[in-house]
Amino acid sequence: MLQMPIRTNKESQNKQNDLNINQSQTKKSQISSKAKLTSRNYYSNRMDWQYESPTWFKKFMACEAEALAEMKGEWKPKRDPTALLVGNYLHSYFQSRYAHRKFKAQHPEIISTRGATKGQLKKEYQMADAMIKTLRTDPMFKEFYQGKKEVIVRGEIGGVMWKGKLDCLPTNHKYFADLKTTMGINKRFYLPDERRYGSFIEAYNYSLQMAVYQELVRQQYGVQAVPVIIAVSKQDPPDKAAVSIPQDLLDYWLERVKELQPRIEAVKNGQEKPHRCEHCEYCRATKHLQQIISLYDLIE
Ligand SMILES: [Zn+2]
């Protein structure tokens, strides 16, 4: 088991900003055999089976049984799509004018059909507009968020093909930016695995995602790019921050992925039976009582 580096100060920032360019490590030869990933098929079930991705990997880490059932199309979580749609609404704006228009045309449900707000954007999307505004009028953001948008990257990690989509990759490839919406930038989230509180970045394990993206960029472009999370909060008015992740934490998560991956692959290939977490939506819906447990086992 690897020891997770925990940093609470800015001691590793200098190291992180010292960009390491290593052209010889490009592995273009390894990323040619699979079907071509495009923006059209990126989120398709076929591509999800062909390529591992941070989103699915995190789902398997949370509950193998639920993730496998969802991937096989046997189970669909009932989660409210609004949070995801608000995120997509914001992303589409910063992708291009065309993408934002298309998103709005494809999602008429973002417009209110009842009450005093009839015909206007629903309040969640009005909030998203405020989140967009706070970024687009910010001088540092404007300068920083320049380059190619929605850049698909792929590569091989621990013998498995992975895919990723970068929100923004500048032409110098020195960093890449990822937009994240959150309830509160400084909000504390309980991390049950570590029995402590952490930020939204830790709670949603964005460090794993950024570690994988950094590795895919390294393989594709031969440079070590610095991931920067552009966080914007769903508050009125919205808060914002540009957040870095210490390189040793990124290194830790890349190694952790390699450590956990063989088991997840075996579950996906049907060689291992998926573990049930017994707490998620899927496990609750399919649970049978099997034993009597102690009251001390009720709280994580
Ligand atoms: Zn579960």
Side-chain angles (χ1 to χ4, degrees):
M1 181 75 149
L2 292 157
Q3 201 58 42
M4 180 188 288
I6 297 170
R7 295 282 172 92
T8 52
N9 55 28
K10 291 171 180 163
E11 67 188 83
S12 62
Q13 269 191 356
N14 291 337
K15 203 170 80 182
Q16 197 180 102
N17 294 337
D18 186 14
L19 301 171
N20 171 25
I21 298 173
N22 191 345
Q23 297 288 354
S24 66
Q25 288 178 320
T26 313
K27 294 184 183 173
K28 284 204 172 106
S29 58
Q30 292 181 351
I31 51 175
S32 55
S33 57
K34 298 272 179 169
K36 191 166 166 52
L37 264 175
T38 64
S39 53
R40 248 171 213 277
N41 69 17
Y42 183 86
Y43 292 110
S44 68
N45 187 252
R46 182 170 166 241
M47 287 298 143
D48 286 339
W49 278 104
Q50 274 192 25
Y51 292 88
E52 189 53 90
S53 64
T55 307
W56 278 101
F57 199 84
K58 287 191 285 181
K59 283 187 190 190
F60 275 92
M61 278 171 69
C63 180
E64 292 173 356
E66 181 177 49
L68 189 67
E70 191 185 342
M71 209 168 179
K72 284 181 167 175
E74 297 165 357
W75 166 260
K76 223 175 155 41
K78 275 181 278 178
R79 59 179 85 98
D80 178 12
T82 309
L84 183 71
L85 282 176
V86 164
N88 292 349
Y89 178 89
L90 180 120
H91 273 85
S92 71
Y93 178 88
F94 290 108
Q95 185 185 348
S96 67
R97 239 180 249 176
Y98 170 76
H100 196 51
R101 263 207 309 269
K102 192 173 151 197
F103 179 90
K104 287 202 272 193
Q106 286 176 343
H107 295 278
E109 70 272 27
I110 68 176
I111 305 289
S112 170
T113 53
R114 282 179 301 182
T117 57
K118 189 176 172 179
Q120 292 172 10
L121 276 176
K122 284 182 184 164
K123 70 173 191 314
E124 293 89 347
Y125 301 93
Q126 287 186 18
M127 187 183 281
D129 272 344
M131 293 156 84
I132 288 169
K133 192 176 173 199
T134 191
L135 290 179
R136 78 173 159 78
T137 57
D138 186 278
M140 179 186 153
F141 177 82
K142 270 196 275 193
E143 206 181 319
F144 192 77
Y145 206 75
Q146 295 289 338
K148 278 196 184 166
K149 309 289 158 49
E150 303 284 316
V151 180
I152 292 172
V153 282
R154 55 181 203 152
E156 177 262 317
I157 297 171
V160 173
M161 288 304 291
W162 280 70
K163 62 176 177 174
K165 209 183 220 186
L166 313 174
D167 287 345
C168 179
L169 178 68
T171 44
N172 64 18
H173 304 155
K174 283 194 172 180
Y175 63 91
F176 57 91
D178 205 83
L179 293 170
K180 298 287 185 206
T181 61
T182 174
M183 297 310 287
I185 286 169
N186 307 113
K187 193 171 143 66
R188 285 153 58 97
F189 291 83
Y190 187 64
L191 313 173
D193 290 349
E194 296 175 52
R195 293 170 185 261
R196 67 175 177 96
Y197 286 89
S199 69
F200 76 98
I201 294 180
E202 292 171 288
Y204 291 92
N205 208 345
Y206 292 140
S207 306
L208 180 154
Q209 183 192 6
M210 294 302 114
V212 166
Y213 284 8
Q214 185 183 53
E215 173 62 11
L216 299 181
V217 169
R218 190 186 67 76
Q219 291 185 23
Q220 204 153 324
Y221 298 99
V223 294
Q224 181 163 290
V226 174
V228 179
I229 290 176
I230 308 284
V232 55
S233 79
K234 299 172 186 180
Q235 289 164 299
D236 183 20
D239 198 1
K240 57 192 162 181
V243 188
S244 71
I245 301 170
Q247 187 58 46
D248 52 0
L249 192 58
L250 295 168
D251 294 342
Y252 164 84
W253 276 111
L254 188 63
E255 287 310 307
R256 192 85 182 105
V257 161
K258 291 178 192 166
E259 207 175 64
L260 296 173
Q261 185 162 253
R263 156 93 201 162
I264 291 177
E265 282 300 299
V267 169
K268 281 162 71 177
N269 297 336
Q271 294 155 331
E272 293 279 352
K273 208 167 165 269
H275 283 150
R276 294 167 56 87
C277 76
E278 300 297 359
H279 304 296
C280 73
E281 212 180 298
Y282 173 80
C283 288
R284 280 185 277 124
T286 54
K287 189 182 273 190
H288 299 289
L289 291 176
Q290 283 177 335
Q291 57 184 338
I292 293 171
I293 57 168
S294 159
L295 72 95
Y296 296 116
D297 293 332
L298 293 176
I299 301 298
E300 284 178 330

